[in-house]
Amino acid sequence: MTIKLPMLNADAKPDAEEPSRRGFLVNYPHFRHWRPEAATAFAEPKPLNVYVHVPYCVQRCAYCFYKVTTLGDNRKAQIDRYVDALCTEIERVSERFHLREQPVETIYFGGGTPTLLSKDNLSRVFDTLHRCLNIAEPEITVEAEPVTLIQTKADHLQSLGVSRISMGIQSFKDEIVSQTGRVDTEAHMLRAIEIAMGTGAAVNIDLMSGLAGETDETWDYSVTRAIESGVHSLTVYKTEIYPNSSYYAGIKRNTLLLPTDDDELRYTKHAIERFEAAGYEAVNFFTFVKHKSYMQRHATNSWRGGEIYGFGVSAFGMMHGTTLQNSSEIGRYIDHIEAGELPLARGYQLSARERMTRDLALGIKLLRFDRVEFRRRYGYDVMDVCGPTISALAEEGYVELLDDTLAMTRKGMLWGDYVGHNIVAAMEG
Ligand SMILES: C[S@@+](CC[C@H](N)C(=O)[O-])C[C@H]1O[C@@H](n2cnc3c(N)ncnc32)[C@H](O)[C@@H]1O
Ligand code: SF4
């Protein structure tokens, strides 16, 4: 049972005409609301989602904003030292925060390019995770660049229990890919997809909708190839331009012309229509799956406010309502570990209102937001906390307000996090 909370009312006057000293307020809420189920639920260990960051890449792609490192001659020694630090961090953090008590639901190896790690290094990290955490049968995702996914590496991932492989394709057109600085070719990418599917893992591929040189024809070609590849999951990212990318420098120097926002919207709309016609179903505003069971649980759990611990340089997560992030420089990260310290650099403890904002703004990425669960968790309906903004978004066709659900419309999907940004602005305003 939930306690019915009144609307916040700063002007409320005392009830009783006559003040009284009787009725000592022992606690809040009153004991009559306390239930055994709540105690049982409290005693249950909270599921844990684990993120592991591998910052190395074959090349720095022209559009990429991630903080990644490409390596020269001493590559093996550098990566070995990083993996040493990573394993030590997992041991130290697990002990310090009693992570063994939390059953691991998902593990996500992101980057960078985790498949750049040697088989030995991958085994060391997996051994450490198994030794230090409570791992039964979690979803295990590994991000891969096609050029790194050779058969022996894929066999090794399979032997380690990897259940999802997420591969950056970006485009199936060789002339577009080569302009990004990547060495992958269409033939290479199709072979890597075949190898990934051969492991029995669920395979996702990423396309990017705003790359230099894209036209309606090249985009349709990539979308067609993506569907024909038969992968379980398809993701379309809008190209984001950040100052640390060479795309940004090209735009500044007027040497690079990218598709316009209108082009990108048209490409995204086209992809959605083609994916749906081919039987793929949207599970968030940028990912489409052949069947709901292929939906990635790691990001879903994070957007629903689950516990996430991030290991590795710049990795971040959220534990017990506090966000946490490690040092963002590899050297500093390793120094902290080698000095016997935790590499944590910053964090933020969310207030109750900020947790509501986070749940709503990130939760709506999943297209259907559960109003009933929100009321159960916070005692307020979404309309109590963000009514005028949601009504305006509904009038403009970005969301639909149903009895138990706030649903994102097709228009909302095309505009990505527009709904989320508006919710944040309203809740912070
Ligand atoms: C860490 S990478 C995936 C694995 C591997 N490093 C690769 O590129 O194949 C994750 C994805 O981020 C996306 N991405 C990178 N830079 C982006 C940008 N500027 N805007 C949107 N998406 C981007 C790409 O689609 C890429 O596949
Ligand atoms: S897109 Fe992937 S391979 Fe390219 S720089 Fe970014 S993380 Fe590395």
Side-chain angles (χ1 to χ4, degrees):
M1 172 186 144
T2 46
I3 301 163
K4 183 109 183 67
L5 293 176
M7 288 291 288
L8 295 175
N9 182 3
D11 301 327
K13 301 274 184 320
D15 261 356
E17 292 277 305
E18 292 297 322
S20 161
R21 287 186 62 250
R22 276 174 303 150
F24 188 73
L25 199 52
V26 178
N27 215 325
Y28 183 85
H30 195 280
F31 288 107
R32 69 174 172 272
H33 297 297
W34 298 25
R35 295 284 178 274
E37 310 85 80
T40 311
F42 172 80
E44 286 284 320
K46 282 215 172 73
L48 180 67
N49 301 280
V50 171
Y51 176 82
V52 181
H53 192 69
V54 179
Y56 303 109
C57 286
V58 176
Q59 70 285 306
R60 182 168 237 312
C61 306
Y63 52 77
C64 189
F65 58 80
Y66 289 100
K67 211 171 157 60
V68 299
T69 305
T70 52
L71 295 167
D73 295 340
N74 56 350
R75 154 185 176 138
K76 184 174 176 332
Q78 263 199 51
I79 299 186
D80 285 351
R81 191 163 168 230
Y82 179 75
V83 170
D84 280 344
L86 188 58
C87 292
T88 307
E89 186 199 0
I90 295 167
E91 283 164 11
R92 194 169 293 157
V93 166
S94 167
E95 205 162 303
R96 174 74 180 74
F97 299 125
H98 311 285
L99 296 190
R100 265 198 147 285
E101 292 166 17
Q102 296 184 247
V104 173
E105 199 170 306
T106 67
I107 303 178
Y108 192 100
F109 283 80
T113 306
T115 41
L116 204 57
L117 291 186
S118 65
K119 289 197 280 173
D120 273 358
N121 277 334
L122 281 167
S123 293
R124 284 171 59 209
V125 179
F126 271 79
D127 288 349
T128 311
L129 289 169
H130 279 283
R131 190 162 39 79
C132 301
L133 301 175
N134 176 0
I135 295 177
E137 278 188 42
E139 168 191 280
I140 305 180
T141 306
V142 173
E143 286 184 348
E145 188 187 350
V147 70
T148 61
L149 198 71
I150 52 174
Q151 187 65 56
T152 48
K153 186 66 64 73
D155 292 344
H156 193 61
L157 295 180
Q158 184 178 15
S159 74
L160 294 170
V162 170
S163 55
R164 297 183 63 86
I165 297 177
S166 183
M167 221 169 340
I169 295 293
Q170 329 311 0
S171 163
F172 279 103
K173 277 286 185 189
D174 290 353
E175 65 270 25
I176 291 182
V177 175
S178 66
Q179 284 183 57
T180 68
R182 290 164 79 94
V183 295
D184 297 314
T185 61
E186 178 186 6
H188 214 140
M189 295 189 273
L190 291 173
R191 175 75 189 123
I193 291 172
E194 200 183 324
I195 291 175
M197 306 246 302
T199 65
V203 176
N204 170 75
I205 60 176
D206 300 335
L207 294 180
M208 288 177 66
S209 58
L211 294 177
E214 201 76 81
T215 63
D216 288 293
E217 289 70 35
T218 57
W219 180 247
D220 182 60
Y221 183 84
S222 286
V223 168
T224 303
R225 278 280 171 279
I227 293 169
E228 285 170 359
S229 74
V231 290
H232 310 91
S233 167
L234 296 159
T235 296
V236 176
Y237 287 120
K238 289 177 190 301
T239 305
E240 309 241 359
I241 306 298
Y242 284 88
N244 66 345
S245 66
S246 46
Y247 261 21
Y248 183 87
I251 292 169
K252 282 269 161 202
R253 285 197 307 266
N254 274 329
T255 53
L256 181 77
L257 199 60
L258 292 180
T260 62
D261 286 353
D262 283 347
D263 292 333
E264 267 218 87
L265 272 182
R266 199 172 59 253
Y267 297 158
T268 314
K269 190 162 176 286
H270 180 68
I272 294 177
E273 285 165 5
R274 294 283 320 274
F275 292 163
E276 289 185 345
Y280 286 87
E281 183 184 353
V283 285
N284 58 49
F285 65 74
F286 49 91
T287 304
F288 302 79
V289 293
K290 265 193 166 170
H291 184 271
K292 272 263 162 55
S293 60
Y294 296 124
M295 184 173 178
Q296 195 226 112
R297 285 185 355 242
H298 185 84
T300 306
N301 289 352
S302 165
W303 295 334
R304 290 199 175 131
E307 303 258 286
I308 300 226
Y309 202 97
F311 294 103
V313 62
S314 72
F316 58 90
M318 188 171 79
M319 298 289 284
H320 320 304
T322 297
T323 60
L324 295 168
Q325 186 176 27
N326 279 344
S327 297
S328 295
E329 297 296 331
I330 296 188
R332 211 172 302 148
Y333 167 80
I334 293 177
D335 286 348
H336 280 300
I337 294 291
E338 292 181 352
E341 301 158 0
L342 295 178
L344 288 172
R346 59 180 176 174
Y348 185 86
Q349 188 179 15
L350 279 78
S351 68
R353 187 176 178 85
E354 287 163 339
R355 284 206 296 275
M356 281 193 218
T357 309
R358 187 187 189 281
D359 280 7
L360 190 48
L362 299 188
I364 194 65
K365 283 177 192 278
L366 295 164
L367 307 179
R368 296 183 72 78
F369 186 83
D370 187 344
R371 291 174 73 181
V372 179
E373 169 59 17
F374 187 84
R375 279 199 295 268
R376 192 199 60 73
R377 209 179 263 190
Y378 298 110
Y380 292 102
D381 183 61
V382 294
M383 294 305 281
D384 295 332
V385 295
C386 200
T389 297
I390 290 174
S391 297
L393 288 166
E395 250 166 59
E396 290 163 26
Y398 294 100
V399 294
E400 198 180 349
L401 193 66
L402 308 169
D403 280 350
D404 293 343
T405 308
L406 179 65
M408 201 186 261
T409 61
R410 173 63 56 91
K411 182 175 173 186
M413 281 175 71
L414 287 174
W415 288 91
D417 275 321
Y418 178 74
V419 171
H421 284 303
N422 273 278
I423 288 170
V424 169
M427 297 285 287
E428 286 185 345

